[in-house]
Short mmCIF file of all heavy atoms in Angstrom, two decimals:
data_model
loop_
_atom_site.label_atom_id
_atom_site.label_comp_id
_atom_site.label_asym_id
_atom_site.label_seq_id
_atom_site.Cartn_x
_atom_site.Cartn_y
_atom_site.Cartn_z
N GLU A 1 9.03 1.50 1.39
CA GLU A 1 8.42 1.98 0.16
C GLU A 1 7.00 1.43 -0.10
O GLU A 1 6.20 2.08 -0.77
CB GLU A 1 9.32 1.63 -1.03
CG GLU A 1 10.69 2.31 -0.93
CD GLU A 1 11.66 1.80 -2.01
OE1 GLU A 1 11.24 1.00 -2.87
OE2 GLU A 1 12.83 2.19 -1.97
N SER A 2 6.71 0.25 0.40
CA SER A 2 5.42 -0.36 0.10
C SER A 2 5.07 -1.46 1.05
O SER A 2 5.94 -2.02 1.74
CB SER A 2 5.43 -0.92 -1.35
OG SER A 2 6.38 -1.95 -1.48
N ILE A 3 3.76 -1.80 1.08
CA ILE A 3 3.27 -2.95 1.84
C ILE A 3 3.11 -4.11 0.85
O ILE A 3 2.63 -3.92 -0.26
CB ILE A 3 1.95 -2.63 2.51
CG1 ILE A 3 2.05 -1.36 3.35
CG2 ILE A 3 1.48 -3.81 3.38
CD1 ILE A 3 0.75 -0.89 3.95
N ASN A 4 3.52 -5.29 1.28
CA ASN A 4 3.54 -6.45 0.37
C ASN A 4 2.94 -7.67 1.04
O ASN A 4 3.11 -7.90 2.23
CB ASN A 4 4.97 -6.76 -0.06
CG ASN A 4 5.65 -5.58 -0.70
OD1 ASN A 4 5.64 -5.42 -1.91
ND2 ASN A 4 6.27 -4.72 0.12
N GLY A 5 2.27 -8.50 0.22
CA GLY A 5 1.79 -9.79 0.66
C GLY A 5 2.55 -10.89 -0.02
O GLY A 5 2.67 -10.91 -1.26
N LEU A 6 3.12 -11.82 0.75
CA LEU A 6 3.99 -12.86 0.20
C LEU A 6 3.52 -14.25 0.60
O LEU A 6 2.87 -14.44 1.63
CB LEU A 6 5.43 -12.68 0.70
CG LEU A 6 6.26 -11.51 0.17
CD1 LEU A 6 5.87 -10.21 0.86
CD2 LEU A 6 7.75 -11.77 0.40
N ASP A 7 3.88 -15.20 -0.26
CA ASP A 7 3.67 -16.60 0.06
C ASP A 7 4.60 -16.98 1.19
O ASP A 7 5.81 -16.76 1.12
CB ASP A 7 3.92 -17.46 -1.17
CG ASP A 7 3.60 -18.92 -0.94
OD1 ASP A 7 4.43 -19.60 -0.30
OD2 ASP A 7 2.55 -19.38 -1.40
N LEU A 8 4.06 -17.62 2.22
CA LEU A 8 4.86 -17.97 3.40
C LEU A 8 5.93 -19.01 3.10
O LEU A 8 6.99 -19.00 3.72
CB LEU A 8 3.93 -18.47 4.52
CG LEU A 8 3.14 -17.42 5.26
CD1 LEU A 8 1.90 -18.02 5.87
CD2 LEU A 8 3.99 -16.76 6.33
N LYS A 9 5.66 -19.89 2.17
CA LYS A 9 6.58 -21.01 1.91
C LYS A 9 7.66 -20.68 0.87
O LYS A 9 8.75 -21.24 0.91
CB LYS A 9 5.81 -22.23 1.49
CG LYS A 9 4.89 -22.80 2.56
CD LYS A 9 4.18 -24.06 2.11
CE LYS A 9 3.32 -24.63 3.20
NZ LYS A 9 2.58 -25.86 2.77
N THR A 10 7.34 -19.79 -0.06
CA THR A 10 8.27 -19.54 -1.17
C THR A 10 8.78 -18.11 -1.25
O THR A 10 9.78 -17.85 -1.91
CB THR A 10 7.57 -19.86 -2.51
OG1 THR A 10 6.51 -18.92 -2.74
CG2 THR A 10 7.02 -21.27 -2.50
N GLY A 11 8.08 -17.15 -0.63
CA GLY A 11 8.46 -15.77 -0.74
C GLY A 11 7.92 -15.09 -1.99
O GLY A 11 8.21 -13.91 -2.25
N GLU A 12 7.13 -15.79 -2.77
CA GLU A 12 6.54 -15.18 -3.96
C GLU A 12 5.67 -13.99 -3.54
O GLU A 12 4.89 -14.07 -2.60
CB GLU A 12 5.67 -16.20 -4.71
CG GLU A 12 4.96 -15.62 -5.91
CD GLU A 12 3.99 -16.57 -6.56
OE1 GLU A 12 3.93 -17.74 -6.09
OE2 GLU A 12 3.27 -16.15 -7.50
N VAL A 13 5.85 -12.87 -4.26
CA VAL A 13 5.08 -11.66 -3.94
C VAL A 13 3.74 -11.72 -4.63
O VAL A 13 3.67 -11.78 -5.85
CB VAL A 13 5.85 -10.38 -4.36
CG1 VAL A 13 5.04 -9.13 -4.03
CG2 VAL A 13 7.22 -10.33 -3.66
N TRP A 14 2.66 -11.71 -3.86
CA TRP A 14 1.31 -11.79 -4.38
C TRP A 14 0.73 -10.42 -4.71
O TRP A 14 -0.06 -10.27 -5.60
CB TRP A 14 0.42 -12.54 -3.42
CG TRP A 14 0.66 -14.02 -3.39
CD1 TRP A 14 1.26 -14.79 -4.34
CD2 TRP A 14 0.31 -14.92 -2.30
NE1 TRP A 14 1.31 -16.10 -3.94
CE2 TRP A 14 0.73 -16.22 -2.69
CE3 TRP A 14 -0.31 -14.77 -1.09
CZ2 TRP A 14 0.54 -17.33 -1.91
CZ3 TRP A 14 -0.50 -15.89 -0.28
CH2 TRP A 14 -0.09 -17.15 -0.69
N TRP A 15 1.09 -9.42 -3.92
CA TRP A 15 0.59 -8.08 -4.17
C TRP A 15 1.48 -7.04 -3.53
O TRP A 15 2.25 -7.34 -2.60
CB TRP A 15 -0.85 -7.89 -3.67
CG TRP A 15 -1.07 -8.22 -2.21
CD1 TRP A 15 -1.47 -9.39 -1.69
CD2 TRP A 15 -0.86 -7.32 -1.09
NE1 TRP A 15 -1.55 -9.32 -0.31
CE2 TRP A 15 -1.19 -8.06 0.09
CE3 TRP A 15 -0.47 -6.00 -0.95
CZ2 TRP A 15 -1.11 -7.50 1.36
CZ3 TRP A 15 -0.39 -5.44 0.32
CH2 TRP A 15 -0.70 -6.20 1.46
N THR A 16 1.43 -5.81 -4.04
CA THR A 16 2.17 -4.69 -3.51
C THR A 16 1.27 -3.47 -3.47
O THR A 16 0.55 -3.18 -4.43
CB THR A 16 3.42 -4.39 -4.37
OG1 THR A 16 4.33 -5.47 -4.29
CG2 THR A 16 4.14 -3.12 -3.91
N TYR A 17 1.30 -2.74 -2.34
CA TYR A 17 0.55 -1.50 -2.20
C TYR A 17 1.52 -0.41 -1.82
O TYR A 17 2.14 -0.45 -0.75
CB TYR A 17 -0.55 -1.64 -1.13
CG TYR A 17 -1.44 -0.44 -1.02
CD1 TYR A 17 -2.61 -0.37 -1.80
CD2 TYR A 17 -1.15 0.62 -0.17
CE1 TYR A 17 -3.45 0.76 -1.71
CE2 TYR A 17 -1.97 1.73 -0.10
CZ TYR A 17 -3.13 1.80 -0.86
OH TYR A 17 -3.95 2.90 -0.78
N ASP A 18 1.70 0.58 -2.67
CA ASP A 18 2.68 1.64 -2.44
C ASP A 18 2.24 2.54 -1.28
O ASP A 18 1.13 3.09 -1.31
CB ASP A 18 2.88 2.49 -3.69
CG ASP A 18 3.58 1.73 -4.80
OD1 ASP A 18 4.32 0.78 -4.48
OD2 ASP A 18 3.40 2.09 -5.98
N LEU A 19 3.09 2.66 -0.28
CA LEU A 19 2.83 3.56 0.86
C LEU A 19 4.18 3.87 1.48
O LEU A 19 4.82 3.01 2.06
CB LEU A 19 1.89 2.89 1.87
CG LEU A 19 1.27 3.83 2.91
CD1 LEU A 19 0.33 4.83 2.25
CD2 LEU A 19 0.53 3.06 3.99
N LYS A 20 4.60 5.13 1.36
CA LYS A 20 5.95 5.53 1.75
C LYS A 20 5.91 6.53 2.87
O LYS A 20 5.64 7.73 2.64
CB LYS A 20 6.69 6.13 0.56
CG LYS A 20 6.85 5.19 -0.62
CD LYS A 20 7.59 5.87 -1.77
CE LYS A 20 7.72 4.95 -2.98
NZ LYS A 20 8.45 5.59 -4.08
N PRO A 21 6.15 6.11 4.11
CA PRO A 21 6.26 7.08 5.21
C PRO A 21 7.53 7.90 5.08
O PRO A 21 8.48 7.52 4.40
CB PRO A 21 6.28 6.18 6.44
CG PRO A 21 6.87 4.92 5.95
CD PRO A 21 6.41 4.75 4.54
N ARG A 22 7.55 9.02 5.76
CA ARG A 22 8.75 9.85 5.74
C ARG A 22 9.92 9.17 6.45
O ARG A 22 9.71 8.40 7.38
CB ARG A 22 8.48 11.20 6.41
CG ARG A 22 7.57 12.11 5.61
CD ARG A 22 7.38 13.45 6.33
NE ARG A 22 6.40 14.29 5.65
CZ ARG A 22 5.92 15.43 6.14
NH1 ARG A 22 6.35 15.86 7.31
NH2 ARG A 22 5.04 16.14 5.47
N TYR A 23 11.13 9.50 5.99
CA TYR A 23 12.36 9.06 6.62
C TYR A 23 12.50 7.53 6.68
O TYR A 23 13.24 7.00 7.50
CB TYR A 23 12.50 9.62 8.04
CG TYR A 23 12.08 11.08 8.16
CD1 TYR A 23 11.00 11.46 8.94
CD2 TYR A 23 12.78 12.07 7.45
CE1 TYR A 23 10.62 12.79 9.03
CE2 TYR A 23 12.39 13.39 7.54
CZ TYR A 23 11.31 13.75 8.32
OH TYR A 23 10.92 15.07 8.40
N GLY A 24 11.81 6.81 5.81
CA GLY A 24 11.87 5.35 5.81
C GLY A 24 11.27 4.72 7.05
O GLY A 24 11.53 3.55 7.34
N MET A 25 10.43 5.47 7.78
CA MET A 25 9.94 5.03 9.07
C MET A 25 8.63 4.26 8.98
O MET A 25 7.59 4.68 9.54
CB MET A 25 9.84 6.22 10.04
CG MET A 25 11.18 6.81 10.39
SD MET A 25 11.10 8.31 11.41
CE MET A 25 10.47 7.62 12.94
N SER A 26 8.63 3.15 8.28
CA SER A 26 7.53 2.19 8.41
C SER A 26 7.77 1.45 9.73
O SER A 26 8.74 0.73 9.87
CB SER A 26 7.50 1.22 7.24
OG SER A 26 8.77 0.62 7.06
N ILE A 27 6.92 1.69 10.71
CA ILE A 27 7.14 1.16 12.06
C ILE A 27 5.95 0.32 12.52
O ILE A 27 6.08 -0.84 12.82
CB ILE A 27 7.38 2.32 13.07
CG1 ILE A 27 8.61 3.13 12.66
CG2 ILE A 27 7.55 1.77 14.48
CD1 ILE A 27 8.84 4.37 13.53
N ALA A 28 4.77 0.93 12.59
CA ALA A 28 3.58 0.25 13.11
C ALA A 28 3.11 -0.78 12.11
O ALA A 28 3.02 -0.53 10.91
CB ALA A 28 2.49 1.27 13.39
N ALA A 29 2.78 -1.97 12.59
CA ALA A 29 2.31 -3.03 11.71
C ALA A 29 0.93 -2.71 11.17
O ALA A 29 0.05 -2.30 11.91
CB ALA A 29 2.29 -4.37 12.46
N PRO A 30 0.71 -2.91 9.86
CA PRO A 30 -0.66 -2.76 9.30
C PRO A 30 -1.63 -3.64 10.08
O PRO A 30 -1.33 -4.78 10.43
CB PRO A 30 -0.51 -3.24 7.86
CG PRO A 30 0.94 -2.98 7.54
CD PRO A 30 1.67 -3.28 8.80
N GLN A 31 -2.81 -3.09 10.35
CA GLN A 31 -3.83 -3.82 11.10
C GLN A 31 -4.99 -4.20 10.17
O GLN A 31 -5.34 -3.44 9.26
CB GLN A 31 -4.34 -2.96 12.26
CG GLN A 31 -3.26 -2.62 13.27
CD GLN A 31 -2.77 -3.88 13.99
OE1 GLN A 31 -3.48 -4.47 14.81
NE2 GLN A 31 -1.54 -4.29 13.68
N PHE A 32 -5.59 -5.34 10.47
CA PHE A 32 -6.65 -5.86 9.61
C PHE A 32 -7.91 -6.14 10.41
O PHE A 32 -7.85 -6.62 11.55
CB PHE A 32 -6.19 -7.14 8.91
CG PHE A 32 -5.12 -6.92 7.86
CD1 PHE A 32 -3.80 -6.75 8.25
CD2 PHE A 32 -5.44 -6.88 6.53
CE1 PHE A 32 -2.80 -6.54 7.30
CE2 PHE A 32 -4.47 -6.68 5.56
CZ PHE A 32 -3.13 -6.51 5.95
N SER A 33 -9.05 -5.84 9.78
CA SER A 33 -10.36 -6.23 10.31
C SER A 33 -11.11 -6.85 9.17
O SER A 33 -11.57 -6.13 8.26
CB SER A 33 -11.08 -5.02 10.89
OG SER A 33 -12.39 -5.39 11.34
N GLY A 34 -11.20 -8.17 9.14
CA GLY A 34 -11.77 -8.83 7.99
C GLY A 34 -10.93 -8.58 6.75
O GLY A 34 -9.73 -8.84 6.75
N ASN A 35 -11.55 -8.01 5.72
CA ASN A 35 -10.81 -7.73 4.48
C ASN A 35 -10.39 -6.25 4.38
O ASN A 35 -10.09 -5.78 3.30
CB ASN A 35 -11.66 -8.10 3.26
CG ASN A 35 -12.92 -7.26 3.12
OD1 ASN A 35 -13.35 -6.62 4.08
ND2 ASN A 35 -13.51 -7.25 1.94
N THR A 36 -10.38 -5.55 5.53
CA THR A 36 -10.01 -4.14 5.56
C THR A 36 -8.65 -3.97 6.24
O THR A 36 -8.44 -4.49 7.34
CB THR A 36 -11.06 -3.31 6.31
OG1 THR A 36 -12.33 -3.49 5.70
CG2 THR A 36 -10.71 -1.82 6.29
N MET A 37 -7.75 -3.23 5.61
CA MET A 37 -6.42 -2.96 6.17
C MET A 37 -6.29 -1.51 6.51
O MET A 37 -6.66 -0.63 5.74
CB MET A 37 -5.33 -3.35 5.14
CG MET A 37 -3.90 -3.03 5.62
SD MET A 37 -2.62 -3.40 4.37
CE MET A 37 -2.83 -2.01 3.24
N PHE A 38 -5.74 -1.22 7.69
CA PHE A 38 -5.38 0.11 8.12
C PHE A 38 -3.87 0.17 8.32
O PHE A 38 -3.31 -0.64 9.06
CB PHE A 38 -6.08 0.50 9.43
CG PHE A 38 -5.53 1.74 10.08
CD1 PHE A 38 -5.90 2.99 9.60
CD2 PHE A 38 -4.65 1.65 11.15
CE1 PHE A 38 -5.37 4.14 10.20
CE2 PHE A 38 -4.15 2.79 11.76
CZ PHE A 38 -4.49 4.04 11.30
N ALA A 39 -3.22 1.12 7.66
CA ALA A 39 -1.77 1.31 7.84
C ALA A 39 -1.47 2.78 7.95
O ALA A 39 -2.12 3.60 7.26
CB ALA A 39 -1.00 0.72 6.67
N SER A 40 -0.56 3.15 8.84
CA SER A 40 -0.24 4.57 9.00
C SER A 40 1.17 4.76 9.52
O SER A 40 1.75 3.87 10.17
CB SER A 40 -1.25 5.23 9.97
OG SER A 40 -1.02 4.80 11.30
N GLY A 41 1.71 5.93 9.22
CA GLY A 41 3.05 6.27 9.66
C GLY A 41 3.29 7.77 9.67
O GLY A 41 2.38 8.57 9.37
N ILE A 42 4.51 8.15 9.98
CA ILE A 42 4.86 9.55 10.14
C ILE A 42 4.65 10.32 8.81
O ILE A 42 4.84 9.79 7.72
CB ILE A 42 6.33 9.67 10.61
CG1 ILE A 42 6.67 11.11 10.96
CG2 ILE A 42 7.30 9.09 9.60
CD1 ILE A 42 8.03 11.26 11.63
N GLY A 43 4.26 11.59 8.97
CA GLY A 43 4.07 12.45 7.81
C GLY A 43 2.68 12.41 7.23
O GLY A 43 2.50 12.62 6.03
N GLU A 44 1.67 12.08 8.09
CA GLU A 44 0.28 11.96 7.65
C GLU A 44 0.18 10.97 6.49
O GLU A 44 -0.55 11.18 5.49
CB GLU A 44 -0.30 13.32 7.30
CG GLU A 44 -0.44 14.22 8.53
CD GLU A 44 -0.97 15.60 8.20
OE1 GLU A 44 -0.89 16.00 7.02
OE2 GLU A 44 -1.42 16.28 9.12
N ILE A 45 0.94 9.89 6.61
CA ILE A 45 0.90 8.81 5.62
C ILE A 45 -0.02 7.72 6.15
O ILE A 45 0.23 7.15 7.22
CB ILE A 45 2.29 8.23 5.36
CG1 ILE A 45 3.24 9.32 4.88
CG2 ILE A 45 2.23 7.06 4.39
CD1 ILE A 45 2.83 9.99 3.59
N SER A 46 -1.10 7.46 5.45
CA SER A 46 -2.05 6.47 5.92
C SER A 46 -2.90 5.98 4.77
O SER A 46 -3.05 6.66 3.75
CB SER A 46 -2.95 7.07 7.02
OG SER A 46 -3.78 6.08 7.57
N ALA A 47 -3.46 4.78 4.93
CA ALA A 47 -4.40 4.26 3.96
C ALA A 47 -5.29 3.23 4.62
O ALA A 47 -4.83 2.43 5.43
CB ALA A 47 -3.66 3.65 2.75
N VAL A 48 -6.56 3.25 4.24
CA VAL A 48 -7.50 2.17 4.59
C VAL A 48 -7.93 1.53 3.29
O VAL A 48 -8.45 2.20 2.40
CB VAL A 48 -8.69 2.71 5.38
CG1 VAL A 48 -9.73 1.59 5.56
CG2 VAL A 48 -8.22 3.19 6.75
#
């Protein structure tokens, strides 16, 4: 349902970005270049 950033030591959720691929198929890991994130999945679901 979404991409999330968490604290490594506690699991506290710092941020959430809604991105829902079809069929629950979040598969490919979001990629980062500096402060830019690229995420994509089935069903023309993508965000930079």
Side-chain angles (χ1 to χ4, degrees):
E1 299 172 5
S2 63
I3 306 173
N4 303 268
L6 289 77
D7 185 282
L8 284 156
K9 294 182 179 179
T10 67
E12 177 187 356
V13 180
W14 287 338
W15 56 266
T16 295
Y17 185 90
D18 291 335
L19 195 66
K20 300 180 181 180
R22 290 182 186 172
Y23 318 117
M25 293 175 68
S26 52
I27 301 174
Q31 297 295 289
F32 291 79
S33 177
N35 65 341
T36 303
M37 177 183 75
F38 167 78
S40 71
I42 188 172
E44 293 178 341
I45 302 300
S46 186
V48 172

